[in-house]
């Protein structure tokens, strides 16, 4: 896991969710770069998206029994 992914996960833990704009601001990256990070975290089954387009937010996936 890279530093940007760790920063996003920590932000979600502290705030409950994150959107693309918030991620761009804290990471100082472009929208496509942030989408790639979100896609990687979803592929790793760490976050899930809720909503669509400009209303999309990302939350941690609850893992029970771990």
């Amino acid at each position: 896991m890279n530093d940007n992914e760790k920063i996003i996960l920590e932000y979600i833990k502290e705030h409950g969710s994150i959107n693309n704009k918030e991620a761009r601001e804290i990471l100082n990256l472009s929208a496509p770069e942030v989408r790639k990070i979100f896609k990687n975290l979803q592929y790793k089954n760490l976050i899930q998206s809720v909503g669509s387009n400009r209303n999309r937010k990302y939350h941690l996936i609850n893992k029970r029994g771990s």
Side-chain angles (χ1 to χ4, degrees), residues 38-59:
F38 286 146
K39 189 174 182 178
N40 288 339
L41 289 170
Q42 287 179 301
Y43 178 78
K44 293 176 184 178
N45 212 26
L46 296 172
I47 65 170
Q48 63 185 358
S49 65
V50 177
S52 61
N53 299 327
R54 291 182 182 259
N55 295 320
R56 183 173 292 137
K57 289 188 173 274
Y58 297 87
H59 302 268

Side-chain angles (χ1 to χ4, degrees), residues 62-66:
N62 294 329
K63 297 191 178 187
R64 299 175 194 218
S66 301

Side-chain angles (χ1 to χ4, degrees), residues 4-18:
N4 288 336
E5 291 174 343
K6 290 177 186 175
I7 291 168
I8 286 179
L9 291 176
E10 194 58 40
Y11 185 95
I12 296 172
K13 286 177 189 173
E14 290 178 21
H15 297 92
S17 67
I18 193 169

